[in-house]
Amino acid sequence: MKNHVRERRDDAGLSQADLASAVGVTRQTINAIERERYDPSLELAFKLADYFDCRVEDLFDPNLVST
Amino acid sequence: MTQTLNSNTGQLSRMRRYRHLMFSVLLGGVAISLGLRSLDYPLVAEVVYLLGFFGFLAIWQGTSIQLFDERERQIEERACAVTLTITAFALIFGASAGRLLPLLTAYSYPTWLNAVIYAFIGQFIVFAAVYGWLRFRT
């Protein structure tokens, strides 16, 4: 699923490891989400949205599936 | 935010430490057991082997922290599904070959392959039972 996690993380000046620590997953999971190779669970999507203080739909776009 | 980051960093490093410990105990148990077996202590070797396995289980189930994240669990589930699919193909074609080859050729089917086929059948019976139970529960 297309997402804006990398942009949000870059804007916040965080590394993948920092974000991973903040939401309680491994760095590899954040990397997989950013590369659109893994769609997070609802729980993790909400955690990420909460962390970046935005709505889930601002972070993830279900209509834009990467090819 | 910094406090949350620090506490989660600690949790992730604990997770990594526990995972290393878990697999070290298991592999250590196997390695020591093989060593003891080669030194002709088969009974002690089995005890060490089982201790390694139970140590692995104790760390996995006993710790209060989550040792694997959601992506790792999903990878495990997909690996299980792919393995089951491969096993299904091996069972379908293996069983068919086992029936046809002795009929059509002079080839004598090795008996140990029958044991493998029955093991696969057993695995699918267990799968069906577990599937039914999970379906009933949810």
Side-chain angles (χ1 to χ4, degrees):
Chain A
M1 191 188 294
K2 182 87 181 157
N3 67 73
H4 306 286
V5 173
R6 183 183 291 263
E7 293 96 300
R8 294 270 181 174
R9 180 175 62 76
D10 285 343
D11 290 346
L14 293 168
S15 67
Q16 287 183 341
D18 291 336
L19 181 58
S21 298
V23 294
V25 293
T26 60
R27 187 195 61 76
Q28 288 84 352
T29 297
I30 296 297
N31 185 46
I33 292 169
E34 289 186 355
R35 291 167 65 199
E36 295 163 20
R37 298 183 72 165
Y38 173 67
D39 292 335
S41 66
L42 265 179
E43 186 187 355
L44 180 55
F46 274 104
K47 267 189 192 173
L48 286 164
D50 187 47
Y51 185 78
F52 290 121
D53 199 20
C54 64
R55 296 177 309 166
V56 172
E57 52 267 48
D58 294 332
L59 209 50
F60 296 94
D61 193 341
N63 297 318
L64 290 172
V65 179
S66 63
T67 51
Chain B
M1 187 159 96
T2 312
Q3 202 173 9
T4 313
L5 210 68
N6 286 340
S7 107
N8 282 326
T9 306
Q11 193 178 335
L12 281 180
S13 70
R14 265 209 319 259
M15 179 178 104
R16 271 195 293 271
R17 212 168 42 240
Y18 273 103
R19 276 161 57 158
H20 285 150
L21 182 67
M22 197 167 79
F23 288 107
S24 299
V25 166
L26 181 70
L27 295 176
V30 171
I32 295 169
S33 158
L34 286 174
L36 285 169
R37 207 180 301 171
S38 70
L39 293 172
D40 213 17
Y41 292 105
L43 209 61
V44 187
E46 284 310 310
V47 171
V48 171
Y49 168 75
L50 289 173
L51 279 178
F53 173 69
F54 285 119
F56 174 89
L57 279 185
I59 296 165
W60 181 23
Q61 297 298 314
T63 177
S64 58
I65 62 164
Q66 187 185 309
L67 293 179
F68 300 97
D69 78 1
E70 59 174 57
R71 180 177 142 271
E72 289 163 325
R73 283 197 300 274
Q74 195 201 57
I75 291 170
E76 194 178 307
E77 284 167 15
R78 285 171 66 184
C80 288
V82 171
T83 306
L84 210 58
T85 306
I86 293 169
T87 311
F89 275 98
L91 174 60
I92 290 162
F93 292 109
S96 183
R99 287 187 296 268
L100 287 176
L101 282 175
L103 285 177
L104 303 174
T105 66
Y107 179 75
S108 61
Y109 199 64
T111 47
W112 63 266
L113 274 176
N114 281 332
V116 172
I117 297 291
Y118 283 120
F120 284 177
I121 291 169
Q123 185 186 315
F124 277 98
I125 290 170
V126 172
F127 170 79
V130 172
Y131 183 89
W133 179 63
L134 289 174
R135 199 185 159 106
F136 174 73
R137 273 186 62 205
T138 51

